[in-house]
Amino acid sequence: VSSYHGDFSIPAEELMAFRTTEDMARSVVVEEDNNDGDGRSSTSSFDWVICALKSTSLDEVPKLIDPLLSPETRVLVMMNGLVEDDL
């Protein structure tokens, strides 16, 4: 990525790819206190979910991102596409 604030790249051996968002959620496990006496439980957690899609796929967003969400997760949706009526 070339940026005014500095360029960066991700080496291929560090890049992670997943078939589903459920697989992605299972790949990131965070230990947290569950306040039930045993100390800890495991949940997946993401700081940000960036969803880039065409407007024709908007109805898929809730099902797609749900496995990645926690109360602290921020979501950025970027959309591309025109509705036929706009042409």
mmCIF file of all heavy atoms in Angstrom, residues 60-82:
data_model
loop_
_atom_site.group_PDB
_atom_site.id
_atom_site.type_symbol
_atom_site.label_atom_id
_atom_site.label_comp_id
_atom_site.label_asym_id
_atom_site.label_seq_id
_atom_site.Cartn_x
_atom_site.Cartn_y
_atom_site.Cartn_z
ATOM 1 N N GLU A 60 -26.820 -9.376 2.419
ATOM 2 C CA GLU A 60 -25.940 -10.411 2.979
ATOM 3 C C GLU A 60 -25.101 -9.908 4.155
ATOM 4 O O GLU A 60 -24.517 -10.712 4.881
ATOM 5 C CB GLU A 60 -25.000 -10.941 1.896
ATOM 6 C CG GLU A 60 -25.700 -11.626 0.750
ATOM 7 C CD GLU A 60 -26.383 -12.908 1.187
ATOM 8 O OE1 GLU A 60 -25.800 -13.656 2.013
ATOM 9 O OE2 GLU A 60 -27.503 -13.151 0.725
ATOM 10 N N VAL A 61 -25.033 -8.598 4.366
ATOM 11 C CA VAL A 61 -24.130 -8.032 5.373
ATOM 12 C C VAL A 61 -24.378 -8.564 6.779
ATOM 13 O O VAL A 61 -23.432 -9.007 7.444
ATOM 14 C CB VAL A 61 -24.153 -6.492 5.343
ATOM 15 C CG1 VAL A 61 -23.375 -5.902 6.509
ATOM 16 C CG2 VAL A 61 -23.583 -5.986 4.033
ATOM 17 N N PRO A 62 -25.594 -8.552 7.317
ATOM 18 C CA PRO A 62 -25.770 -9.030 8.701
ATOM 19 C C PRO A 62 -25.264 -10.455 8.920
ATOM 20 O O PRO A 62 -24.542 -10.720 9.884
ATOM 21 C CB PRO A 62 -27.275 -8.938 8.922
ATOM 22 C CG PRO A 62 -27.729 -7.893 7.967
ATOM 23 C CD PRO A 62 -26.845 -8.052 6.756
ATOM 24 N N LYS A 63 -25.609 -11.364 8.027
ATOM 25 C CA LYS A 63 -25.172 -12.760 8.146
ATOM 26 C C LYS A 63 -23.650 -12.864 8.000
ATOM 27 O O LYS A 63 -23.002 -13.643 8.698
ATOM 28 C CB LYS A 63 -25.874 -13.608 7.092
ATOM 29 C CG LYS A 63 -25.505 -15.077 7.129
ATOM 30 C CD LYS A 63 -26.294 -15.886 6.128
ATOM 31 C CE LYS A 63 -25.876 -15.499 4.729
ATOM 32 N NZ LYS A 63 -26.471 -16.325 3.684
ATOM 33 N N LEU A 64 -23.095 -12.049 7.139
ATOM 34 C CA LEU A 64 -21.663 -12.100 6.858
ATOM 35 C C LEU A 64 -20.824 -11.620 8.035
ATOM 36 O O LEU A 64 -19.844 -12.257 8.401
ATOM 37 C CB LEU A 64 -21.361 -11.247 5.617
ATOM 38 C CG LEU A 64 -19.935 -11.229 5.118
ATOM 39 C CD1 LEU A 64 -19.536 -12.593 4.591
ATOM 40 C CD2 LEU A 64 -19.785 -10.173 4.033
ATOM 41 N N ILE A 65 -21.195 -10.507 8.646
ATOM 42 C CA ILE A 65 -20.335 -9.930 9.684
ATOM 43 C C ILE A 65 -20.682 -10.362 11.101
ATOM 44 O O ILE A 65 -19.877 -10.182 12.010
ATOM 45 C CB ILE A 65 -20.283 -8.391 9.591
ATOM 46 C CG1 ILE A 65 -21.623 -7.759 9.938
ATOM 47 C CG2 ILE A 65 -19.777 -7.946 8.234
ATOM 48 C CD1 ILE A 65 -21.586 -6.251 10.037
ATOM 49 N N ASP A 66 -21.849 -10.940 11.310
ATOM 50 C CA ASP A 66 -22.269 -11.311 12.663
ATOM 51 C C ASP A 66 -21.237 -12.130 13.443
ATOM 52 O O ASP A 66 -20.998 -11.855 14.614
ATOM 53 C CB ASP A 66 -23.618 -12.031 12.631
ATOM 54 C CG ASP A 66 -24.135 -12.304 14.019
ATOM 55 O OD1 ASP A 66 -24.342 -11.324 14.770
ATOM 56 O OD2 ASP A 66 -24.316 -13.485 14.362
ATOM 57 N N PRO A 67 -20.586 -13.138 12.847
ATOM 58 C CA PRO A 67 -19.603 -13.922 13.619
ATOM 59 C C PRO A 67 -18.398 -13.108 14.090
ATOM 60 O O PRO A 67 -17.659 -13.538 14.960
ATOM 61 C CB PRO A 67 -19.154 -15.010 12.643
ATOM 62 C CG PRO A 67 -20.197 -15.071 11.597
ATOM 63 C CD PRO A 67 -20.779 -13.692 11.505
ATOM 64 N N LEU A 68 -18.197 -11.930 13.515
ATOM 65 C CA LEU A 68 -17.015 -11.131 13.818
ATOM 66 C C LEU A 68 -17.267 -10.040 14.846
ATOM 67 O O LEU A 68 -16.335 -9.356 15.272
ATOM 68 C CB LEU A 68 -16.499 -10.482 12.522
ATOM 69 C CG LEU A 68 -16.296 -11.432 11.348
ATOM 70 C CD1 LEU A 68 -15.918 -10.647 10.105
ATOM 71 C CD2 LEU A 68 -15.266 -12.483 11.671
ATOM 72 N N LEU A 69 -18.516 -9.864 15.248
ATOM 73 C CA LEU A 69 -18.875 -8.717 16.070
ATOM 74 C C LEU A 69 -18.836 -8.993 17.564
ATOM 75 O O LEU A 69 -19.149 -10.082 18.019
ATOM 76 C CB LEU A 69 -20.280 -8.231 15.697
ATOM 77 C CG LEU A 69 -20.474 -7.795 14.250
ATOM 78 C CD1 LEU A 69 -21.917 -7.366 14.034
ATOM 79 C CD2 LEU A 69 -19.510 -6.699 13.869
ATOM 80 N N SER A 70 -18.451 -7.963 18.302
ATOM 81 C CA SER A 70 -18.561 -7.929 19.755
ATOM 82 C C SER A 70 -19.091 -6.540 20.092
ATOM 83 O O SER A 70 -19.164 -5.678 19.207
ATOM 84 C CB SER A 70 -17.197 -8.163 20.400
ATOM 85 O OG SER A 70 -16.375 -7.012 20.268
ATOM 86 N N PRO A 71 -19.449 -6.277 21.326
ATOM 87 C CA PRO A 71 -19.941 -4.933 21.663
ATOM 88 C C PRO A 71 -18.932 -3.818 21.373
ATOM 89 O O PRO A 71 -19.318 -2.672 21.155
ATOM 90 C CB PRO A 71 -20.229 -5.028 23.166
ATOM 91 C CG PRO A 71 -20.504 -6.472 23.402
ATOM 92 C CD PRO A 71 -19.599 -7.205 22.459
ATOM 93 N N GLU A 72 -17.659 -4.142 21.345
ATOM 94 C CA GLU A 72 -16.623 -3.136 21.107
ATOM 95 C C GLU A 72 -16.204 -3.014 19.643
ATOM 96 O O GLU A 72 -15.416 -2.151 19.286
ATOM 97 C CB GLU A 72 -15.378 -3.443 21.947
ATOM 98 C CG GLU A 72 -15.599 -3.337 23.436
ATOM 99 C CD GLU A 72 -16.256 -4.584 24.017
ATOM 100 O OE1 GLU A 72 -16.071 -5.681 23.454
ATOM 101 O OE2 GLU A 72 -16.969 -4.446 25.015
ATOM 102 N N THR A 73 -16.689 -3.880 18.766
ATOM 103 C CA THR A 73 -16.275 -3.880 17.359
ATOM 104 C C THR A 73 -16.859 -2.683 16.618
ATOM 105 O O THR A 73 -18.039 -2.378 16.743
ATOM 106 C CB THR A 73 -16.733 -5.175 16.663
ATOM 107 O OG1 THR A 73 -16.211 -6.293 17.370
ATOM 108 C CG2 THR A 73 -16.250 -5.226 15.221
ATOM 109 N N ARG A 74 -16.018 -2.015 15.839
ATOM 110 C CA ARG A 74 -16.471 -0.938 14.955
ATOM 111 C C ARG A 74 -16.594 -1.520 13.548
ATOM 112 O O ARG A 74 -15.798 -2.358 13.145
ATOM 113 C CB ARG A 74 -15.465 0.198 14.960
ATOM 114 C CG ARG A 74 -15.356 0.882 16.302
ATOM 115 C CD ARG A 74 -14.260 1.942 16.230
ATOM 116 N NE ARG A 74 -13.780 2.277 17.540
ATOM 117 C CZ ARG A 74 -12.694 1.760 18.105
ATOM 118 N NH1 ARG A 74 -11.968 0.881 17.470
ATOM 119 N NH2 ARG A 74 -12.324 2.126 19.309
ATOM 120 N N VAL A 75 -17.585 -1.042 12.796
ATOM 121 C CA VAL A 75 -17.838 -1.558 11.450
ATOM 122 C C VAL A 75 -17.752 -0.411 10.454
ATOM 123 O O VAL A 75 -18.367 0.637 10.645
ATOM 124 C CB VAL A 75 -19.227 -2.228 11.349
ATOM 125 C CG1 VAL A 75 -19.502 -2.712 9.934
ATOM 126 C CG2 VAL A 75 -19.334 -3.379 12.342
ATOM 127 N N LEU A 76 -16.975 -0.614 9.392
ATOM 128 C CA LEU A 76 -16.883 0.325 8.284
ATOM 129 C C LEU A 76 -17.373 -0.410 7.044
ATOM 130 O O LEU A 76 -16.829 -1.456 6.684
ATOM 131 C CB LEU A 76 -15.443 0.792 8.080
ATOM 132 C CG LEU A 76 -15.166 1.631 6.830
ATOM 133 C CD1 LEU A 76 -15.942 2.945 6.875
ATOM 134 C CD2 LEU A 76 -13.678 1.880 6.690
ATOM 135 N N VAL A 77 -18.432 0.115 6.413
ATOM 136 C CA VAL A 77 -18.976 -0.499 5.206
ATOM 137 C C VAL A 77 -18.707 0.432 4.035
ATOM 138 O O VAL A 77 -19.042 1.612 4.077
ATOM 139 C CB VAL A 77 -20.495 -0.757 5.342
ATOM 140 C CG1 VAL A 77 -21.058 -1.342 4.056
ATOM 141 C CG2 VAL A 77 -20.766 -1.682 6.512
ATOM 142 N N MET A 78 -18.090 -0.116 3.005
ATOM 143 C CA MET A 78 -17.843 0.614 1.764
ATOM 144 C C MET A 78 -18.625 -0.083 0.668
ATOM 145 O O MET A 78 -18.575 -1.299 0.550
ATOM 146 C CB MET A 78 -16.354 0.631 1.440
ATOM 147 C CG MET A 78 -15.534 1.359 2.481
ATOM 148 S SD MET A 78 -13.778 1.324 2.128
ATOM 149 C CE MET A 78 -13.377 -0.329 2.670
ATOM 150 N N MET A 79 -19.351 0.706 -0.107
ATOM 151 C CA MET A 79 -20.253 0.113 -1.093
ATOM 152 C C MET A 79 -19.921 0.624 -2.491
ATOM 153 O O MET A 79 -19.592 1.785 -2.679
ATOM 154 C CB MET A 79 -21.690 0.470 -0.726
ATOM 155 C CG MET A 79 -22.689 -0.420 -1.350
ATOM 156 S SD MET A 79 -24.385 -0.146 -0.786
ATOM 157 C CE MET A 79 -24.247 0.781 0.691
ATOM 158 N N ASN A 80 -20.078 -0.272 -3.462
ATOM 159 C CA ASN A 80 -19.866 0.071 -4.852
ATOM 160 C C ASN A 80 -21.032 -0.503 -5.638
ATOM 161 O O ASN A 80 -21.497 -1.588 -5.378
ATOM 162 C CB ASN A 80 -18.557 -0.550 -5.352
ATOM 163 C CG ASN A 80 -18.291 -0.258 -6.801
ATOM 164 O OD1 ASN A 80 -18.899 0.624 -7.380
ATOM 165 N ND2 ASN A 80 -17.395 -1.007 -7.394
ATOM 166 N N GLY A 81 -21.512 0.265 -6.600
ATOM 167 C CA GLY A 81 -22.573 -0.237 -7.455
ATOM 168 C C GLY A 81 -23.701 0.746 -7.596
ATOM 169 O O GLY A 81 -23.917 1.613 -6.752
ATOM 170 N N LEU A 82 -24.428 0.620 -8.679
ATOM 171 C CA LEU A 82 -25.563 1.469 -8.946
ATOM 172 C C LEU A 82 -26.822 0.635 -8.953
ATOM 173 O O LEU A 82 -26.830 -0.503 -9.411
ATOM 174 C CB LEU A 82 -25.423 2.146 -10.318
ATOM 175 C CG LEU A 82 -24.258 3.110 -10.488
ATOM 176 C CD1 LEU A 82 -24.144 3.525 -11.938
ATOM 177 C CD2 LEU A 82 -24.450 4.331 -9.603
#
